[in-house]
């Protein structure tokens, strides 16, 4: 029996944070421990080296080290999508080929950043990655950071290829999300990016979500997804509202990733501080983050009965 792309890959993917030692170097043991922490939480997989994973702040060797540690730890247990986007097409292709070599399931990339590129250049950039492996490819659209908005015409063109299976829509417009789904067709995956709008994205056609804040509350997003699937929309809305209270607080710290990584450390998962220019949390934030962690854990217990 063959499984369709949607059934095979839909679900909740944690945009996994990076893990560094105290000197700021990639720490593979910490990466393994973090990846292991997510097994058994009900998520479908991990998105490695994306925005939350700081891939863009690491060199190619470091990005490979992170992925290798993830694959060694959870290969076969979680679906692994790797962000291979880089400024130069050459480096992105190198990372794509490495991802295939170590057994990742899917590759994904933002456009090249810094230069204001015409659509044809972004298409060529992505096409080289697509052609370099036999892995499926997911377009990563995040216009607020890259300055490039994926048009439905480019999406339609790329989606003609079997290897291009979906888009990670981190832009905030649920109208555009719905248009991507309509353009790609029912067998084209759309992942919701803004965690604050997970439910809205699902209602407008997303097949699941990929998000950074999932990393400190995966159980809540798994529950939210199952409430949506069960058509329990009022309960889902109440849970999304609760989650958004947490996200609002997390966004109030010097960096979102610093706050989330500190929360993980309170649970015994050390990942170090985010890499500069992303700011770490300061000691005066520790008490309020401990409170927030307690609140999240209480909510997880309420929703999972754990
Ligand atoms: C703009 C941005 O960074 N969006 C995040 C969200 O997870 C975001 O952190 C969250 O919704 C809080 O605003 C994700 O879409 C990005 C992501 O999944 C990634 O880390 O690659």
């Amino acid at each position: 029996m063959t499984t369709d792309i949607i059934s095979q890959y839909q679900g909740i993917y944690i945009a996994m944070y990076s893990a560094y030692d105290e000197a700021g170097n990639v720490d593979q043991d910490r990466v393994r421990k973090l990846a292991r922490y997510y097994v058994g939480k009900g998520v479908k997989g991990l998105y490695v080296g994306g925005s939350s994973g700081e891939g863009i702040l690491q060199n190619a060797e470091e990005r490979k080290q992170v992925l290798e540690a993830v694959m060694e730890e959870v290969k076969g247990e979680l679906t692994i999508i790797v962000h291979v986007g880089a400024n130069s097409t050459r480096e992105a292709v190198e990372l794509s080929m490495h991802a295939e070599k170590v057994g990742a399931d899917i590759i994904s990339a933002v456009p090249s950043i810094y230069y204001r590129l015409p659509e044809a250049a972004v298409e060529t950039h992505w096409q080289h990655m697509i052609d370099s492996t036999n892995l499926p490819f997911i377009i990563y659209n995040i216009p607020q950071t890259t300055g490039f908005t994926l048009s439905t015409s480019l999406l339609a063109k790329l989606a003609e290829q079997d290897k291009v299976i979906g888009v990670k829509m981190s832009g905030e417009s649920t109208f555009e999300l719905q248009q991507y789904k309509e353009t790609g067709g029912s067998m084209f995956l759309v992942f919701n990016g803004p965690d604050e709008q997970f439910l809205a994205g699902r209602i407008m056609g997303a097949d699941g979500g990929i998000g950074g804040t999932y990393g400190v509350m995966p159980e809540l997003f798994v529950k939210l997804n199952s409430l949506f699937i069960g058509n329990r929309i009022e309960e889902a809305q109440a849970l999304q509202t609760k989650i958004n209270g947490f996200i609002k607080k997390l966004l109030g710290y010097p960096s979102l990733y610093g706050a989330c990584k500190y929360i993980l450390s309170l649970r015994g998962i050390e990942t170090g501080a985010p890499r500069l220019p992303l700011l770490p949390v300061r000691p005066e934030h520790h008490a309020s983050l401990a409170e927030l962690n307690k609140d999240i854990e209480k909510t997880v217990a309420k929703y999972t009965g754990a």
Side-chain angles (χ1 to χ4, degrees):
M1 195 184 83
T2 54
T3 319
D4 66 67
I5 288 289
I6 306 294
S7 318
Q8 192 176 353
Y9 294 122
Q10 67 189 347
I12 299 296
Y13 290 78
I14 297 169
M16 188 177 158
Y17 302 114
S18 53
Y20 303 115
D21 62 21
E22 298 314 312
N25 299 310
V26 168
D27 185 324
Q28 288 187 304
D29 285 340
R30 287 182 170 185
V31 173
R32 279 189 273 270
K33 196 165 169 198
L34 179 59
R36 176 58 47 194
Y37 176 66
Y38 293 131
V39 174
K41 302 242 184 256
V43 301
K44 177 74 179 163
L46 304 176
Y47 190 89
V48 178
S51 312
S52 310
E54 301 176 36
I56 226 77
L57 298 180
Q58 298 166 355
N59 65 37
E61 273 327 297
E62 292 175 311
R63 294 174 72 171
K64 290 178 189 175
Q65 285 169 16
V66 171
L67 178 60
E68 284 166 19
V70 169
M71 296 312 298
E72 280 157 23
E73 187 66 32
V74 299
K75 184 173 176 171
E77 294 181 88
L78 296 175
T79 300
I80 305 301
I81 309 176
V82 191
H83 175 248
V84 294
N87 264 348
S88 81
T89 306
R90 184 182 280 246
E91 185 166 316
V93 164
E94 179 188 330
L95 291 169
S96 303
M97 291 166 71
H98 172 262
E100 182 170 49
K101 192 176 92 190
V102 299
D105 297 283
I106 300 173
I107 55 171
S108 175
V110 293
S112 171
I113 50 175
Y114 182 70
Y115 294 110
R116 291 277 152 176
L117 297 170
E119 193 166 271
V122 175
E123 180 186 352
T124 305
H125 183 62
W126 278 333
Q127 193 61 51
H128 274 74
M129 293 172 231
I130 295 163
D131 291 340
S132 70
T133 78
N134 289 313
L135 294 177
F137 183 82
I138 290 180
I139 302 163
Y140 187 172
N141 182 57
I142 183 161
Q144 64 271 48
T145 63
T146 62
F148 178 86
T149 300
L150 175 69
S151 67
T152 48
S153 55
L154 179 57
L155 183 145
K157 194 170 170 199
L158 290 167
E160 280 170 10
Q161 305 168 72
D162 287 347
K163 275 198 245 174
V164 181
I165 62 167
V167 61
K168 164 168 157 46
M169 172 45 167
S170 282
E172 286 167 1
S173 164
T174 49
F175 168 62
E176 279 172 11
L177 182 150
Q178 174 266 319
Q179 294 289 300
Y180 291 162
K181 185 71 184 176
E182 194 170 303
T183 303
S186 61
M187 283 300 126
F188 187 77
L189 285 155
V190 175
F191 288 105
N192 181 76
D195 308 351
E196 305 83 332
Q197 300 178 181
F198 177 85
L199 179 60
R202 281 294 258 144
I203 287 173
M204 293 315 294
D207 303 289
I210 300 173
T213 67
Y214 302 5
V216 293
M217 44 186 151
E219 303 91 341
L220 297 185
F221 281 94
V222 169
K223 180 70 186 181
L224 185 52
N225 195 40
S226 72
L227 288 172
F228 168 76
I229 292 167
N231 207 17
R232 293 158 65 184
I233 301 301
E234 274 183 34
E235 288 167 81
Q237 192 199 13
L239 177 53
Q240 178 80 73
T241 302
K242 184 75 188 164
I243 287 172
N244 286 1
F246 297 145
I247 295 178
K248 190 168 175 204
K249 285 188 181 160
L250 288 167
L251 289 170
Y253 290 93
S255 77
L256 170 65
Y257 308 156
C260 289
K261 283 153 86 54
Y262 184 74
I263 285 186
L264 286 170
S265 77
L266 296 173
R267 301 176 190 167
I269 310 294
E270 297 293 347
T271 59
R275 197 168 260 189
L276 291 170
L278 300 174
L279 295 171
V281 290
R282 295 191 294 271
E284 65 262 34
H285 300 129
H286 290 178
S288 61
L289 280 166
E291 272 312 301
L292 179 55
N293 181 41
K294 266 196 221 149
D295 206 1
I296 293 173
E297 289 187 323
K298 225 167 60 196
T299 308
V300 169
K302 177 180 154 195
Y303 277 96
T304 62

